[in-house]
Amino acid sequence: MTTTSLPHQTPSPDDPRPPEGRGHMIRRRALTLLIIVLLIGIPAGYLVISANQSRDSGRTKEEKYAARGLTPDWPSRVQRRLYHVPIPPASKKVAYYETNNWRTSRLYVQFLTSDDGLDTFLKNIGTSRAALEKDDFPISARHRNIVDWDFTTPGPWSGLTRARKNPTPTLDMVVNWSRPGHPMVYVVARTTP
């Protein structure tokens, strides 16, 4: 069996386009290659960057939730709102720690404030300074140990429990008055969903 090769086809006389020159062909192929790189390379690069950010975010969250004890920072606004802990704006030495399990969620907060800041805080949680009982420590030893709070240092000390019906958080609070005009406040807010 013999194969016959087809003769080179010449453009039809009716075709108005002249044959493509070498320079035009190179430009066309370069443009095609550029479009392919843009259509594939940019989304692929975005996916790599996004994956790295997601992994870093996961590590940050893991470190945050693996932390034991107080974090020297303000709790988020959402946490303060959920647990009803309205820390006065000019407070110092603010630190917090949150625990969650299937039964109870707790937010441990400490802050140094002024006498006016304490009065504002107490008013915002629905009570007053008159409700504080001298040498009362409603925060249990178990909860003190979780965040290394030591209530044996010189006082005077006072405390109160602001009990509320679930799911509104109950607040256990201890105040150290050792620095006149600058009470140190310790709060454990707990709620059962």
Side-chain angles (χ1 to χ4, degrees), residues 2 5 7 14 19-21 34 37-38 48 54-55 62 79 94 97 100 103 108 117 133 137 148 170 179 186 190-191:
T2 60
S5 61
D14 298 333
E20 183 176 36
L34 177 65
V37 167
L38 291 176
V48 168
S54 178
R55 186 179 68 224
E62 182 181 348
Q79 288 171 312
V94 179
Y97 178 64
N100 296 299
R103 286 183 310 204
Y108 300 80
E133 296 182 28
F137 298 94
D148 291 328
T170 292
R179 288 183 62 191
Y186 304 88
R190 69 181 184 280
T191 184

Side-chain angles (χ1 to χ4, degrees), residues 109-170:
V109 180
Q110 71 178 37
F111 57 91
L112 180 69
T113 189
S114 64
D115 287 338
D116 290 339
L118 177 63
D119 290 336
T120 301
F121 175 78
L122 292 169
K123 181 181 176 186
N124 287 337
I125 65 170
T127 189
S128 69
R129 205 184 284 206
L132 290 168
E133 296 182 28
K134 186 175 181 180
D135 296 323
D136 184 24
F137 298 94
I139 298 175
S140 70
R142 176 180 171 265
H143 294 299
R144 290 181 223 165
N145 289 337
I146 289 173
V147 289
D148 291 328
W149 283 338
D150 180 13
F151 296 161
T152 61
T153 58
W157 293 87
S158 60
L160 68 83
T161 295
R162 178 77 172 103
R164 293 184 266 191
K165 192 173 182 178
N166 283 328
T168 305
T170 292

Side-chain angles (χ1 to χ4, degrees), residues 41-107:
I42 289 176
Y46 173 77
L47 287 174
V48 168
I49 291 168
S50 179
N52 284 335
Q53 289 174 342
S54 178
R55 186 179 68 224
D56 292 343
S57 173
R59 285 182 185 154
T60 302
K61 286 179 183 174
E62 182 181 348
E63 289 169 3
K64 176 183 173 185
Y65 292 112
R68 299 290 296 155
L70 293 169
T71 301
D73 198 0
W74 286 64
S76 70
R77 288 182 182 177
V78 171
Q79 288 171 312
R80 286 180 269 161
R81 188 171 53 244
L82 286 174
Y83 288 99
H84 297 252
V85 182
I87 302 170
S91 298
K92 307 283 185 207
K93 296 186 180 179
V94 179
Y96 76 98
Y97 178 64
E98 183 180 17
T99 63
N100 296 299
N101 62 39
W102 63 277
R103 286 183 310 204
T104 307
S105 296
R106 288 183 181 85
L107 181 67

